[in-house]
Amino acid sequence: MPPGDRQDGTAPATSARRLMRACDRAALATARRPDDTGSADAGGVDKGGWPYPSLVLVAFDHDGSPLLLLSTLADHTRNLLADGRVGLLFDGTAGLARPLTGARLSVLGRAERSDEPRHRARYLRRHPDAAFYAGFADFSIYRVTVERAHLVAGFGRIHWLSAAELDLPASAPALAMGEADLLDRLNGEGYGPRLVPSTDEDGAGQRESWSLTGVDPDGCDLRRGGYVARVDFEQRIRDPESARLMLDALIRPQDGTGPPGHATTADGGA
């Protein structure tokens, strides 16, 4: 097995895509703008160009491009408006006794404002609480075009991946057009609780509160209050009909028995 490959045999690109899509937040790195009035220290040294890290909530377009909801009042937004190059760190090490043995992914790309309504809709389904401030005039959606990614899957398992090697899916217009109606039907039929495996922490009624927030060519996203989950598909889908067939093959029987969907992950959310 070449260095960097997952011990379970999953290809590095697949591991990278799955890790990224499973996260609902990331560390955002921007280059501090040189004309910032706060860019000089007490000695008058200009700090323009220095890396500036911040925490952001993230969703994804159907083609895997990260989507951010940012305010022009924030330093990171002012930075990327001056220099669109950004870095995003997706952390998959939560809960591990030895975090450095876990996976993390650094994504390098360029951020541009998007006025595409479906980008905003997709973000707000993933982060419903953001609706409280998303309508403020200073907030906009920014789409990150991925150029490279650096996957660290543990000690000695490291890969640089170009955008082509990352193999993000092509746009799926039919799925994008039909996603909202599909989610309404699936949630109305109780698919959410049947896709997420139960845990010891689940109390009465908690499993039933899982709902689907997105379906993309690679899988589907779910949320229950402050928790998010991801179910990855074994093969890509392109339209609502294919998505429904794939999910029908993954859901648990109504009595709650049977295996969960493939590669389901659940983490604390915002």
Side-chain angles (χ1 to χ4, degrees):
M1 181 182 301
D5 285 353
R6 281 270 299 272
Q7 292 179 338
D8 63 5
T10 304
T14 302
S15 298
R17 293 194 306 272
R18 289 180 173 177
L19 169 59
M20 181 174 69
R21 285 203 189 262
C23 294
D24 73 336
R25 67 196 65 188
L28 170 67
T30 55
R32 196 163 175 84
R33 58 201 183 284
D35 60 345
D36 178 17
T37 56
S39 65
D41 62 17
V45 178
D46 184 4
K47 293 186 177 180
W50 280 64
Y52 178 81
S54 54
L55 178 67
V56 292
L57 300 182
V58 62
F60 299 91
D61 195 1
H62 285 99
D63 65 1
S65 301
L67 301 174
L68 313 174
L69 178 63
L70 306 176
S71 167
T72 51
L73 302 179
D75 275 319
H76 51 224
T77 311
R78 295 179 181 182
N79 292 340
L80 67 83
L81 289 174
D83 184 341
R85 294 176 300 171
V86 299
L88 289 165
L89 173 64
F90 298 97
D91 182 4
T93 67
L96 297 180
R98 294 188 297 158
L100 292 183
T101 65
R104 53 270 195 198
L105 180 73
S106 298
V107 170
L108 305 181
R110 297 177 187 270
E112 293 185 353
R113 174 173 166 167
S114 170
D115 294 319
E116 174 63 50
R118 67 180 183 84
H119 288 162
R120 177 175 289 262
R122 200 148 215 283
Y123 185 95
L124 292 179
R125 283 196 297 266
R126 188 85 189 274
H127 300 286
D129 287 349
F132 174 75
Y133 50 83
F136 295 170
D138 55 296
F139 277 91
S140 298
I141 294 291
Y142 291 80
R143 177 179 177 272
V144 178
T145 301
V146 176
E147 296 189 2
R148 299 184 73 193
H150 186 242
L151 173 68
V152 179
F155 293 119
R157 302 200 301 277
I158 302 169
H159 280 275
W160 273 106
L161 300 165
S162 67
E165 292 168 334
L166 191 56
D167 190 28
L168 293 171
S171 298
L175 181 60
M177 290 181 62
E179 182 183 19
D181 289 340
L182 175 64
L183 291 172
D184 287 342
R185 293 200 305 271
L186 294 173
N187 285 321
E189 297 171 20
Y191 271 60
R194 299 164 67 191
L195 284 164
V196 180
S198 60
T199 67
D200 294 337
E201 290 77 23
D202 286 340
Q206 286 189 329
R207 279 190 50 74
E208 286 68 26
S209 60
W210 281 105
S211 62
L212 284 136
T213 61
V215 180
D216 58 73
D218 286 334
C220 63
D221 301 310
L222 302 99
R223 177 173 284 277
R224 186 196 73 191
Y227 293 88
V228 295
R230 173 78 181 172
V231 176
D232 298 302
F233 297 155
E234 286 295 337
Q235 62 187 48
R236 284 180 172 162
I237 54 94
R238 308 294 304 166
D239 52 66
E241 293 75 19
S242 299
R244 181 67 180 253
L245 290 173
M246 181 68 72
L247 290 167
D248 283 343
L250 291 173
I251 60 173
R252 295 167 173 267
Q254 289 283 7
D255 62 5
T257 62
H262 176 267
T264 301
T265 57
D267 298 290

